[in-house]
Amino acid sequence: MMTDLDEEQDAYPDDLYDMYSSSRRSQGQRSRSQANRVTYIEEGEDDYPDDDVLDDAEFEMLNARRSGGRPSAQCSPVDNRASSRSRRPPPQEQPQVRKIRVKVHADDTRYVMVGTAIEFRDFVDQIRIKFGLRTNFKVKIKDEGDMITMSDQDDLDMAVQASKAAAKRSREEMGKMEVWVQVV
């Protein structure tokens, strides 16, 4: 036995369906059999190529902000190398390290600026002039926690190369070195 409430609830889904239906019929003209009709899609050949082709294709994800706020529904195969190259900022040129700021510790601490092609004798003379030293002294540099005496051009060249490499890694135009002066 159906009550008025049951009939009202049973009619509601049809009315709701009719309201969103794409047909132009009015609500009253829609028959119950048409509302319950099920439409089947025939199975057959699909419009897509083999799955292997789709698996090998590369697709580019598009940003919704670039397309004016609306996401694009189109995906197209892209050459991944070309698209990533176009989005990267141009590579920054490595700065040329031509000067080295040497922090020299003696009675006090001072800076001495030297070129990367400095001779050992000129390096020692700059320190002598900067500190006003008239006696003999040794120049020491810290390497892996040990104090190493810098005694010739080879030692200075290794220290200059290390400071140039550190400056290039941090993309600076000036190298930094730290030495200690020990009066003999």
Side-chain angles (χ1 to χ4, degrees):
M1 176 171 157
M2 286 183 75
T3 64
D4 290 335
L5 182 61
D6 290 337
E7 287 178 16
E8 193 174 305
Q9 286 177 348
D10 191 32
Y12 179 72
D14 290 339
D15 292 341
L16 184 62
Y17 181 78
D18 289 341
M19 185 170 70
Y20 291 103
S21 170
S22 62
S23 70
R24 302 202 183 264
R25 296 182 184 183
S26 66
Q27 285 180 324
Q29 292 177 340
R30 188 159 176 88
S31 72
R32 188 133 180 110
S33 64
Q34 287 176 332
N36 291 333
R37 185 181 309 160
V38 178
T39 306
Y40 294 99
I41 299 172
E42 291 184 28
E43 289 186 25
E45 291 295 317
D46 55 9
D47 294 334
Y48 297 107
D50 294 339
D51 288 337
D52 295 338
V53 175
L54 288 177
D55 290 340
D56 292 341
E58 296 180 21
F59 293 93
E60 178 182 18
M61 297 298 291
L62 299 176
N63 189 349
R65 292 183 189 165
R66 283 193 190 163
S67 61
R70 293 177 303 234
S72 172
Q74 295 177 340
C75 291
S76 60
V78 244
D79 182 6
N80 212 12
R81 290 166 286 169
S83 66
S84 65
R85 216 178 297 125
S86 65
R87 289 190 186 144
R88 284 187 195 146
Q92 292 180 349
E93 216 174 281
Q94 288 286 339
Q96 293 293 338
V97 181
R98 295 189 178 137
K99 291 280 188 180
I100 296 179
R101 183 183 73 190
V102 183
K103 185 188 276 187
V104 183
H105 300 277
D107 294 338
D108 57 345
T109 303
R110 296 183 188 171
Y111 286 118
V112 175
M113 294 296 289
V114 297
T116 56
I118 191 165
E119 298 291 324
F120 182 71
R121 177 147 321 272
D122 295 335
F123 179 65
V124 171
D125 286 344
Q126 276 190 316
I127 293 173
R128 185 182 307 280
I129 292 168
K130 187 75 164 188
F131 286 94
L133 297 172
R134 300 202 189 276
T135 62
N136 290 338
F137 60 90
K138 291 182 181 180
V139 178
K140 296 192 175 217
I141 189 164
K142 191 178 281 190
D143 181 45
E144 297 178 6
D146 297 327
M147 296 300 284
I148 308 296
T149 301
M150 194 181 298
S151 61
D152 59 9
Q153 186 65 41
D154 290 337
D155 295 336
L156 179 60
D157 288 342
M158 284 191 288
V160 167
Q161 290 303 319
S163 67
K164 281 175 64 175
K168 284 183 179 181
R169 277 193 303 273
S170 60
R171 298 194 185 277
E172 295 178 0
E173 292 180 3
M174 182 174 32
K176 298 174 185 174
M177 189 183 341
E178 192 169 10
V179 297
W180 286 260
V181 173
Q182 181 182 18
V183 178
V184 189

